[in-house]
Amino acid sequence: MRFSQFSVLCICFVLYLNSCSKDTTILLEEQPEQEEANLSARIAAKKLYEDYYLASKSTSSEVSWSGNTNNCDAGEVPQTTKDKIFQRIAYYRKTVGLNNVISENTTKSKKAQAAALMMKSNGTLDHYPPESWSCYSSDGSEGAGNSLLTQYRNAEAIDSYIRDYGSSNGPVGHRRWLLWPRLQEIGIGNTDNTNAIWVIGNAGTSPTDAKEFIAWPPADYFPQQLAYERWSFSIANANFDDTTIEMRDQNNNAVSLQTEALNTQFGDRTIVWIPAINTNTLSEDMVYTVMIKNVFVNEETKNFEYKVTLFDIEAE
């Protein structure tokens, strides 16, 4: 069979179109796969929020404790309130990849409860309360020295610790203790306007599935409402003396930031910074790339990079 020059050209052109069509099909298929993966991660983040964060929200009828300050009765914390506190802690730990179960040490809870009573009775917080305080006790003093303290109650007290707001909380020490991979047990103290969480002592080993580092906010999808002012990056035994931090938004614009002074006293070594981000003004999902350079850990200098996608958990 003989082909004209025109026929040959047509056949070649058809083959070329088929080749392009196949390539185009591949390219078009890759995009939906990525979008599907993103949607799946977003859904998972929302479900975790609903199952743990929203489920642990306090109600107006909830009883915080059974004591009173008039006769310095430390009282008891209802189990339902304790359960919600554990649930809120589990939410925050799961978001950063920590899935181990934290247990209650009842001896520590008794002393933490005495500490929470003292904080309520005196209307202030002090890890080293003087004996002149009303409702002072040796148990309460020991509890105060080993616990996180806040003038919030119930599960919402955990939000206060993770946020670590205020000029004295630059090192985010409360957050570091609650997100410490080696944390395995706590004591719970709680009144109607104070809370104490015993975190010091009896550290375990890090969970086998723990990530190399603890970032806050964590990588991947995360509710913008909980992306508090101070961001942090923790890794055991790290030296951050020469570390620099850069952030860029999804349009590759640099995000200005302020780095807090280093402090090695709480949990794992941590570097803290405040990015110039107003989460209240975000109208759509926003991806931020975090680049942490020159971290000296395990006898070598390492760089880390991860992406945080903030989204409005209340918009859907």
Side-chain angles (χ1 to χ4, degrees):
M1 182 180 293
R2 300 180 63 184
F3 295 93
S4 67
Q5 182 178 6
F6 176 76
S7 298
V8 171
L9 289 173
C10 289
I11 292 172
C12 290
F13 182 65
V14 170
L15 291 174
Y16 173 76
L17 286 178
N18 288 338
S19 174
C20 290
S21 176
K22 291 178 180 179
D23 288 342
T24 302
T25 301
I26 293 173
L27 292 174
L28 291 175
E29 288 177 350
E30 288 175 351
Q31 185 64 30
E33 288 178 358
Q34 182 62 47
E35 291 178 356
E36 184 177 346
N38 289 341
L39 179 60
S40 177
R42 199 176 192 276
I43 291 173
K46 184 177 181 181
K47 179 171 175 54
L48 183 66
Y49 176 85
E50 292 172 343
D51 291 349
Y52 284 84
Y53 190 90
L54 283 186
S56 59
K57 186 177 180 180
S58 296
T59 63
S60 58
S61 60
E62 190 171 332
V63 177
S64 301
W65 71 314
S66 61
N68 64 75
T69 57
N70 293 331
N71 58 2
C72 294
D73 177 13
E76 300 288 340
V77 182
Q79 189 60 47
T80 53
T81 300
K82 286 185 177 182
D83 290 343
K84 287 188 175 183
I85 289 173
F86 275 110
Q87 195 171 25
R88 186 65 58 92
I89 292 174
Y91 170 74
Y92 282 114
R93 288 178 66 86
K94 284 179 177 294
T95 61
V96 299
L98 297 172
N99 299 300
N100 58 313
V101 177
I102 304 299
S103 63
E104 180 185 11
N105 181 308
T106 56
T107 299
K108 291 180 179 180
S109 285
K110 177 183 177 182
K111 296 178 179 181
Q113 184 60 32
L117 171 70
M118 291 167 59
M119 304 305 136
K120 174 178 174 57
S121 181
N122 292 275
T124 189
L125 305 176
D126 195 330
H127 289 291
Y128 306 99
E131 293 185 15
S132 59
W133 265 26
S134 62
C135 296
Y136 177 90
S137 67
S138 58
D139 277 356
S141 179
E142 185 181 0
N146 289 279
S147 298
L148 312 179
L149 303 172
T150 186
Q151 290 178 307
Y152 287 82
R153 65 175 181 172
N154 303 355
E156 288 70 27
I158 307 305
D159 298 341
S160 171
Y161 297 134
I162 297 295
R163 183 182 182 187
D164 257 339
Y165 178 76
S167 59
S168 63
N169 289 319
V172 295
H174 304 87
R175 178 190 302 171
R176 287 160 68 171
W177 282 124
L178 286 179
L179 300 184
W180 192 31
R182 296 177 60 193
L183 183 67
Q184 65 176 3
E185 67 175 29
I186 61 172
I188 295 177
N190 196 72
T191 72
D192 59 358
N193 64 4
T194 59
N195 178 274
I197 302 292
W198 184 311
V199 293
I200 305 297
N202 197 29
T205 57
S206 296
T208 56
D209 61 346
K211 297 181 179 179
E212 183 179 7
F213 58 83
I214 300 296
W216 187 267
D220 300 324
Y221 280 84
F222 188 74
Q224 65 190 51
Q225 288 84 351
L226 301 180
Y228 303 122
E229 296 89 340
R230 290 186 169 103
W231 291 37
S232 58
F233 177 92
S234 302
I235 189 167
N237 303 315
N239 184 315
F240 294 107
D241 288 346
D242 299 318
T243 300
T244 60
I245 302 171
E246 296 179 27
M247 286 183 62
R248 292 190 173 275
D249 64 19
Q250 61 193 25
N251 298 316
N252 203 36
N253 297 314
V255 178
S256 61
L257 56 88
Q258 175 185 342
T259 306
E260 298 278 17
L262 296 174
N263 187 303
T264 62
Q265 296 179 355
F266 316 101
D268 286 335
R269 300 292 174 84
T270 300
I271 190 166
V272 184
W273 68 99
I274 303 175
I277 297 173
N278 184 352
T279 58
N280 294 323
T281 64
L282 300 181
S283 58
E284 59 184 18
D285 294 5
M286 183 63 72
V287 181
Y288 294 97
T289 301
V290 180
M291 294 161 283
I292 301 179
K293 301 178 181 179
N294 298 322
V295 179
F296 188 73
V297 59
N298 297 328
E299 302 301 320
E300 64 175 315
T301 300
K302 303 178 70 172
N303 298 327
F304 298 87
E305 181 175 319
Y306 57 94
K307 296 181 184 296
V308 178
T309 303
L310 300 182
F311 72 104
D312 186 355
I313 197 73
E314 298 176 354
E316 303 176 25

